[in-house]
Amino acid sequence: MFIISNLIMTSLLVSTATINFRISLLVLAQHRKISDVDHFLHCHYPKPYSYYLSMFANLICVPLRLLDPLNIKDALTEIIKKDFFQPASAFLDDLNRIQQLHNYISSETSSSDLDALESALYEYYYLVGDISSKFPNTGLTVTWYGTLGHKPVRCLASSWSEVQGSIVHQLGSLYCQKAFKESQYTDEGIKAACSYFKLSAGCYEYLQTIGVLGRDYEETTLQCLQWLMLAQAQELTWNKAISNISMKNTVIARLSIKVSEMYANALEFADKSDSIILDWINQFKVKKRHFSAAAQYRMSIVSLDAFEYGKQVAYLKEASSFCSEAGKYKRYVNAAVIEDLQGLTTMVNETLRSAQKDNDLVYLKPVPNFKDLPPINGVSMVNAEVPKRLHERGDIPKAFATLLPFAIIQVAQAFKERYEQFISQSFHIPVEALTRMLVKFLTDNDLPASIDTLQKPESLPDSIIHHSQEIMSIGGIRLMESSMSEISKLAAKAHDLIQSCEERLRMEKYEDNLMREREGSARWNRPPSQVAAGDFTTRLGKMKEYLERGHQSDIMIGDNYASIRKFLEIYCAGQEALIKAIPRSTLSNLSSAVAHLVAELRDLLREADSLEKSRHRFLSSINIKARDHSILPAILNEFKKNPEQYQDSKGNIDTTKLEAVYERHIKFFSSDLKFLENLKEQQIELEKKIHEANAGFSQARTVDYDKSQRKRLEVLQSFEEAYAQYLDLVSNLNLASKFYGDFLEKGSVVLRELDEFLYSRREEARELEISIHNSDKFSEIEHSMSNSGSSLPAPRGQKANTWDPSKGIHLS
């Protein structure tokens, strides 16, 4: 019953519209004094009246873009697990919600219900905005396909702002689609369609203000689409005006000339865009001239009504000229548009012949030059309307409301890095420097080797045993070789990365030169590779210099390691190997004075060893304290208390306001900094005492070393120097590892940028190649037409679907 009722209502609606349409024709025929009305209707409107009520077949509908499916839920879950300090399970509802929306919008059936799709797009738009305010701006890529050309073109949205821009672009297409879905039989339907075209124009205007990058977001393309939507909205207004027989012809002329101007604007930007196809461009050219001709025709009627027969002829001549010019661009244009043009051309030319004949035989009025006639000032009845829902969220619930913004996570991480750097620079680096300074000081003074040679001529010195234990605890040769092997691998990766970057530049240059040679420099008129890739070439040169300096440092580290390797092998082999490696010496009889000085030096060396152990214990306590008083949770907790205090409306974090939290935090280490200063002063004082005692020992020792003692001293001193160099090598290897890690991280960014550059250049080359091909094909067509001396026949199809009841009536 419901279906039958709907069919009856639709039938009544169409029947009513048809009756109104026929009444309008009868009134027009009577107004124009047409005697044989049936003949007029049969000749000029042979199809069913409902056909002429459809006005959209001669307009352009922007197709909806395509969206690839994407497991956005899992991607966001991984980002939360990796970068945030909150469980992903707490946001399961929001993750499911965004996944369901993406699935729906990317489905093939989404376009079947445009109202539902519109609601889904707005909800998706705001959810992506929520994600943008909380998540990092990179991490996954959403793939759309632009549909402005003859085949879909992949458009990658690699940031949340680009995803939002893609959604707005889709809304622009959707409103155009909704305009075409409106009823063509009622004033309400026409009014709604006009409103949708204005909303579509508003979407394309809005896109120009938010600065989204990509082929489909070029300003020329967006301007073209905006003016196209406005032109079609104005055309609907013009159509509605001409259906009103009481509407003045001057008003209709002004509306018509504005339609022409809007199509001219669309054409201007289409010619500059790489995304607008020739079919559209030619239709713009036809429409521009069509509506200029229609405006002149209306003004000829105004002149006729004012008995200005010369002006009537001038306007009609200009209208005929525009019609003839429009006919040159019929290729690839919609058949309905061509038949509209043919209908207007026939009417204009017939009216012109009649008007010229009447003027030449009856009125004898001078025909003015068209340039001397007053210009027609267009009047616009439409403007771009940015959808309110892009600024008014309404009842769409926020997503990830309790998730900390990634911006504060980044700030907290930055403070954590700064905090760790403070711990390292304030404690670890100074303590390690003090240790190396003390070892070097003792080695330079032949201590403890000089007194061990005399005091312990046969046993293994305690310092050597201590060095052996420390070297083995650090990792010994295994650490050296594994670290150097790892650094070699990192260096190879860095070298491969440089080669990959260079390979992409070579590939781009080869492809560009190949096309330039094939098409010629005049036609292949884009910037050459050395210009387009100039910035990358400079950056790559600096990277190679930087890597070369690292390579030289690696060679130096390898040489230093080779020089002490045999000593490290003995250190790591244990006490038996050390006893065999260090020769024994003869026992010397020391005087009481020398023995006293040796004992004094021994006590000072024990004090130095005690000081070093104290520093190690101090570093351990600092590490525990830094772990227990981490800055990261302190920053996050402070932000949670009052987010508005630290964050503006755009989500930007004011880090200066969090400086107080950081300053409060590092005050925990004030006493430790003072203690470190005391340790430094103690070492300086101790080194002074050791230096004085050692000088006294050297003066008091009257007997020189014998051969065995000299040999033992040299070997002991070599082992002490090897130990000191080992500590330096460990520090240098850590620096080398950090050097290559930073290099690979920054180099990977350059490589990714080069991939994007290569892709964009290939896309640019493809579009330029298509443009050149189309230009050649069009030139061949024009050349063929000029040689044949005839124009192409107009496409055959249905009659024009835009009727102008006030253009004049002519019997066949």
Side-chain angles (χ1 to χ4, degrees):
M1 189 69 183
F2 177 78
I3 298 174
I4 295 173
S5 175
N6 275 349
L7 289 173
I8 293 171
M9 289 300 294
T10 304
S11 164
L12 289 174
L13 178 62
V14 175
S15 298
T16 304
T18 304
I19 292 169
N20 291 337
F21 182 81
R22 181 171 174 81
I23 291 172
S24 297
L25 293 180
L26 292 173
V27 171
L28 176 64
Q30 184 179 10
H31 178 71
R32 297 300 182 191
K33 298 182 176 62
I34 302 299
S35 58
D36 192 346
V37 175
D38 289 333
H39 179 71
F40 163 74
L41 297 178
H42 176 73
C43 290
H44 291 275
Y45 304 94
K47 296 193 176 182
Y49 297 122
S50 59
Y51 170 81
Y52 300 102
L53 297 171
S54 172
M55 302 182 301
F56 299 150
N58 64 346
L59 301 181
I60 291 176
C61 185
V62 180
L64 289 169
R65 307 172 88 213
L66 307 176
L67 175 63
D68 259 358
L70 175 68
N71 196 337
I72 195 170
K73 175 185 174 181
D74 288 353
L76 293 178
T77 299
E78 286 302 313
I79 293 173
I80 293 174
K81 289 179 179 178
K82 177 185 174 184
D83 296 326
F84 293 82
F85 301 93
Q86 294 169 267
S89 57
F91 309 99
L92 189 58
D93 290 343
D94 293 329
L95 291 168
N96 287 330
R97 188 170 150 217
I98 191 74
Q99 184 65 63
Q100 289 167 4
L101 280 171
H102 189 93
N103 290 345
Y104 174 73
I105 294 169
S106 61
S107 67
E108 295 180 358
T109 58
S110 62
S111 59
S112 61
D113 186 345
L114 293 181
D115 289 334
L117 179 59
E118 179 184 5
S119 298
L121 284 171
Y122 276 113
E123 185 174 0
Y124 194 40
Y125 174 83
Y126 281 107
L127 260 62
V128 170
D130 294 337
I131 293 172
S132 177
S133 67
K134 298 294 181 77
F135 284 75
N137 203 30
T138 55
L140 78 164
T141 299
V142 180
T143 304
W144 293 79
Y145 292 89
T147 51
L148 296 179
H150 293 292
K151 62 179 180 179
V153 177
R154 187 172 67 163
C155 303
L156 301 179
S158 54
S159 68
W160 298 117
S161 59
E162 290 178 4
V163 176
Q164 280 193 301
S166 298
I167 295 170
V168 176
H169 201 298
Q170 187 76 327
L171 283 168
S173 302
L174 179 135
Y175 282 124
C176 183
Q177 295 273 335
K178 292 191 79 170
F180 273 73
K181 291 283 186 181
E182 280 301 316
S183 171
Q184 303 161 0
Y185 311 121
T186 63
D187 288 346
E188 290 75 12
I190 297 171
K191 184 178 179 181
C194 183
S195 178
Y196 284 133
F197 279 132
K198 292 192 288 184
L199 288 172
S200 179
C203 290
Y204 298 125
E205 181 183 64
Y206 181 71
L207 276 173
Q208 298 168 55
T209 65
I210 59 178
V212 181
L213 302 177
R215 280 186 69 254
D216 281 4
Y217 305 103
E218 293 174 351
E219 185 177 358
T220 52
T221 303
L222 295 176
Q223 286 270 26
C224 174
L225 292 173
Q226 179 185 340
W227 281 111
L228 170 61
M229 295 299 103
L230 290 175
Q232 295 188 156
Q234 179 80 1
E235 186 172 344
L236 291 185
T237 305
W238 173 83
N239 270 285
K240 191 172 184 301
I242 62 175
S243 66
N244 183 357
I245 60 173
S246 63
M247 183 67 67
K248 293 182 179 180
N249 283 301
T250 50
V251 174
I252 295 175
R254 294 180 67 188
L255 291 173
S256 182
I257 203 69
K258 180 54 70 173
V259 176
S260 174
E261 291 171 359
M262 289 178 172
Y263 276 115
N265 290 337
L267 174 61
E268 177 187 352
F269 291 107
D271 283 335
K272 299 175 183 177
S273 170
D274 295 328
S275 302
I276 306 301
I277 57 177
L278 184 62
D279 309 42
W280 287 22
I281 292 174
N282 280 358
Q283 183 153 325
F284 296 162
K285 291 177 179 178
V286 171
K287 289 265 190 175
K288 170 188 171 183
R289 291 160 178 82
H290 177 111
F291 283 97
S292 287
Q296 309 309 323
Y297 178 76
R298 288 288 171 171
M299 291 307 297
S300 74
I301 298 175
V302 173
S303 299
L304 176 63
D305 292 341
F307 309 108
E308 296 176 326
Y309 304 108
K311 283 186 178 182
Q312 179 195 14
V313 173
Y315 280 120
L316 288 170
K317 281 184 177 180
E318 190 66 15
S320 179
S321 174
F322 277 124
C323 288
S324 299
E325 193 176 347
K328 298 177 182 178
Y329 304 102
K330 295 186 294 186
R331 189 69 169 172
Y332 309 121
V333 176
N334 189 334
V337 175
I338 298 303
E339 292 204 17
D340 269 345
L341 175 63
Q342 288 178 331
L344 176 64
T345 302
T346 300
M347 186 176 294
V348 166
N349 289 338
E350 288 179 358
T351 306
L352 175 58
R353 283 194 296 270
S354 176
Q356 282 181 320
K357 182 178 179 181
D358 290 346
N359 190 54
D360 291 342
L361 298 177
V362 180
Y363 306 117
L364 304 176
K365 298 291 184 180
V367 178
N369 190 317
F370 178 76
K371 294 180 180 179
D372 297 331
L373 297 175
I376 306 171
N377 296 319
V379 56
S380 175
M381 302 301 293
V382 298
N383 59 284
E385 295 180 1
V386 177
K388 291 182 179 179
R389 294 180 70 179
L390 286 176
H391 303 293
E392 299 175 3
R393 186 178 184 119
D395 58 355
I396 299 174
K398 283 197 171 186
F400 306 101
T402 59
L403 183 69
L404 285 171
F406 184 68
I408 190 61
I409 300 292
Q410 285 182 304
V411 169
Q413 289 284 14
F415 273 109
K416 180 185 176 184
E417 291 175 6
R418 182 176 163 190
Y419 177 69
E420 291 173 347
Q421 191 175 21
F422 164 77
I423 296 297
S424 176
Q425 292 182 345
S426 300
F427 298 104
H428 286 271
I429 293 176
V431 167
E432 291 170 3
L434 287 173
T435 299
R436 289 195 300 271
M437 287 168 60
L438 181 59
V439 170
K440 187 176 185 304
F441 169 77
L442 295 176
T443 303
D444 291 345
N445 285 276
D446 293 338
L447 293 173
S450 60
I451 60 175
D452 284 338
T453 301
L454 298 175
Q455 199 174 38
K456 298 181 178 181
E458 296 184 353
S459 62
L460 200 61
D462 293 340
S463 62
I464 297 297
I465 296 173
H466 173 74
H467 294 340
S468 174
Q469 292 172 345
E470 184 178 356
I471 287 172
M472 286 191 287
S473 68
I474 293 174
I477 290 179
R478 177 179 53 79
L479 173 69
M480 286 284 107
E481 295 190 344
S482 64
S483 297
M484 292 181 70
S485 174
E486 184 64 27
I487 287 170
S488 296
K489 291 177 183 177
L490 291 174
K493 286 183 179 179
H495 181 70
D496 291 343
L497 189 145
I498 291 287
Q499 286 189 326
S500 297
C501 292
E502 290 179 329
E503 178 62 26
R504 280 155 176 76
L505 288 177
R506 282 194 297 269
M507 191 183 304
E508 193 284 322
K509 185 176 181 179
Y510 170 77
E511 292 173 359
D512 184 66
N513 289 341
L514 189 67
M515 295 303 298
R516 199 175 297 277
E517 289 174 5
R518 193 177 82 180
E519 302 293 346
S521 298
R523 283 147 54 94
W524 199 255
N525 54 3
R526 68 171 185 166
S529 297
Q530 57 266 31
V531 175
D535 178 59
F536 286 109
T537 304
T538 303
R539 290 165 69 183
L540 204 56
K542 292 179 179 178
M543 287 170 64
K544 291 170 71 175
E545 292 176 6
Y546 194 53
L547 189 61
E548 179 59 29
R549 290 199 295 268
H551 177 64
Q552 295 301 322
S553 298
D554 294 345
I555 293 175
M556 189 180 299
I557 289 174
D559 292 343
N560 290 340
Y561 172 64
S563 68
I564 65 170
R565 179 184 171 84
K566 63 179 181 179
F567 297 103
L568 293 179
E569 289 175 346
I570 298 171
Y571 266 130
C572 294
Q575 291 191 22
E576 292 296 328
L578 287 168
I579 290 171
K580 290 179 181 179
I582 299 173
R584 298 178 181 181
S585 64
T586 57
L587 180 64
S588 299
N589 293 321
L590 303 176
S591 64
S592 59
V594 172
H596 176 74
L597 288 170
V598 169
E600 182 182 355
L601 275 172
R602 184 69 68 187
D603 290 339
L604 290 171
L605 290 176
R606 289 194 190 97
E607 189 177 340
D609 185 58
S610 175
L611 183 64
E612 186 176 349
K613 290 178 180 177
S614 174
R615 285 199 296 262
H616 284 301
R617 290 193 300 272
F618 171 68
L619 279 184
S620 297
S621 67
I622 288 295
N623 291 337
I624 294 171
K625 192 172 183 179
R627 183 192 63 198
D628 293 342
H629 294 83
S630 176
I631 186 68
L632 193 144
I635 295 291
L636 297 180
N637 290 334
E638 185 69 22
F639 178 82
K640 287 178 184 177
K641 292 177 184 177
N642 190 2
E644 292 76 15
Q645 180 181 349
Y646 304 103
Q647 188 178 25
D648 61 21
S649 59
K650 295 182 179 179
N652 299 317
I653 305 296
D654 187 352
T655 56
T656 58
K657 293 181 179 179
L658 290 166
E659 284 291 333
V661 180
Y662 177 79
E663 293 297 332
R664 278 199 312 269
H665 215 70
I666 63 174
K667 283 182 180 179
F668 286 122
F669 299 93
S670 297
S671 59
D672 300 298
L673 289 170
K674 291 179 181 178
F675 182 76
L676 181 60
E677 281 298 317
N678 291 334
L679 288 178
K680 184 178 179 181
E681 291 173 2
Q682 288 178 36
Q683 179 166 319
I684 293 172
E685 187 64 28
L686 181 60
E687 287 179 359
K688 184 178 179 182
K689 290 178 181 179
I690 292 173
H691 178 72
E692 291 173 355
N694 192 49
F697 166 72
S698 299
Q699 291 177 357
R701 182 171 52 81
T702 55
V703 180
D704 198 5
Y705 297 112
D706 61 22
K707 186 176 181 181
S708 64
Q709 290 174 334
R710 174 63 61 186
K711 187 176 181 180
R712 179 177 174 84
L713 177 62
E714 289 174 354
V715 172
L716 287 175
Q717 189 62 22
S718 296
F719 273 96
E720 291 289 348
E721 290 174 354
Y723 167 71
Q725 288 186 46
Y726 178 79
L727 296 180
D728 286 337
L729 279 174
V730 170
S731 176
N732 290 336
L733 285 171
N734 288 333
L735 291 175
S737 178
K738 185 177 184 303
F739 168 85
Y740 284 113
D742 293 343
F743 183 90
L744 288 171
E745 182 181 353
K746 295 175 181 176
S748 297
V749 174
V750 176
L751 183 61
R752 186 165 61 250
E753 291 176 358
L754 271 170
D755 284 334
E756 293 173 359
F757 168 74
L758 182 60
Y759 173 77
S760 66
R761 288 280 283 182
R762 283 174 172 171
E763 284 289 299
E764 182 184 53
R766 187 182 66 83
E767 292 298 323
L768 183 56
E769 187 178 9
I770 291 172
S771 176
I772 292 172
H773 175 73
N774 289 341
S775 177
D776 290 345
K777 191 172 181 181
F778 192 63
S779 297
E780 289 174 6
I781 292 170
E782 288 186 330
H783 181 68
S784 175
M785 289 170 58
S786 62
N787 287 340
S788 64
S790 61
S791 60
L792 292 172
R796 285 302 188 192
Q798 294 180 326
K799 287 288 185 180
N801 56 1
T802 301
W803 173 68
D804 183 352
S806 304
K807 285 182 175 177
I809 299 173
H810 299 274
L811 298 175
S812 298

